[in-house]
Amino acid sequence: MSISLNNITLSYGPRILLERVSAEIPARSLTAFIGRNGTGKSSLLRVIAGLNRAADGEIRLCNRPLASLSPQQLATTVSFVATDKVRIANLACEDMVALGRAPYTNWIGRMQQSDRAIVHRALEIVGLSGFARKSMETLSDGECQRAMIARALAQDTPVILLDEPTAFLDLPNRYALVSLLSRLAHEEGKCVLFSTHDLDIALSLCDSILTIDTPALHHSPAAEMAASGVLERLFSDSGVAFDPTSGRIRATKA
C-alpha cells in the first residue's frame, strides 16, 4: 500500500478529530477525501505529508514508517499541493515547476539536462507546454493549479497529496482537473489523495472515497460509499441532500 494509516488519533487542542482510525490506500488509485468543514481533512493531509504529527498511531508510506524517513527520503516519497496559489511576479511557470526537482539537484541547486526533461514532461502532462515562460501571476486559477500539480509531478514522488485543488474553479475546470488527477493515478502510477467538497465529481471520477465522520474514518470504493448511508448522514443537517442513486447533491434550504 502507498499510504497506510494505523490506529491514528488526531486532535486539535483538546478536541479529538479522529480516534484510532485506520485505512489503506493503494498505488495507481485516485481517492477523494470528504468531510464537513473543520473536521480535520487538511490536518490529516499535513500529517500524512510529514508536515505535522498525529497524537498517536503510525503512518507508513510505500511500506516504510513515516517517522523513519529522513527529509531527503520524505521529499522523494510524497509531494503536497496546498490550497494557496503561487502568484509571484516575474516567476516563470517553468521555473516554478522546476522547484520540484530540488530534492535531486546538487547543493547549489543546479539542474542537469535530465532534470529539465522531467520538468518539460510534467508541463506536457498537465497541458501547459505552451505556458513554460509565462509569468505565474498571468495564469488563470485553473492554469495555476495545473502548474502546481506539474511541480508535484516534477518532484517524482509515488504519493501526491492535494488540499482542495478544485477550490475557486468553475464546474468544467473542476471536472477537467479531477480527470487529470485520474490520469496521473492510472497512467503514471501515482497514489493520489485529495480533499474536496465536490461530492458528485468525486463519486463519478474517483476509485474510492475517504470520509471523516468524527471521530471515525471511512474508506471504501466510490460505489460502495454512495450506497453505504454514510454520506446521507454527514450531509443530513448541512442544507443539502445526497442522492445515492445519482451520486448528486442538491440544496434543501433556501
Side-chain angles (χ1 to χ4, degrees), residues 17-21 39 211-218 233-234:
L17 301 174
L18 293 168
E19 188 170 19
R20 298 186 63 81
V21 300
T39 55
T211 306
I212 288 185
D213 184 12
T214 307
L217 188 71
H218 306 282
R233 185 172 68 255
L234 286 179

Side-chain angles (χ1 to χ4, degrees), residues 44-75:
L44 183 58
L45 285 174
R46 294 182 67 84
V47 166
I48 297 172
L51 300 174
N52 293 334
R53 289 187 178 183
D56 197 10
E58 182 192 55
I59 295 174
R60 300 180 71 89
L61 299 179
C62 302
N63 297 318
R64 294 183 295 175
L66 173 62
S68 73
L69 299 179
S70 67
Q72 171 72 18
Q73 290 171 325
L74 185 63

Side-chain angles (χ1 to χ4, degrees), residues 97-118:
V97 174
L99 294 174
R101 297 305 298 162
Y104 306 96
T105 55
N106 58 29
W107 65 277
I108 59 174
R110 180 174 297 167
M111 293 208 305
Q112 306 300 316
Q113 188 58 40
S114 58
D115 296 304
R116 298 188 184 282
I118 290 171

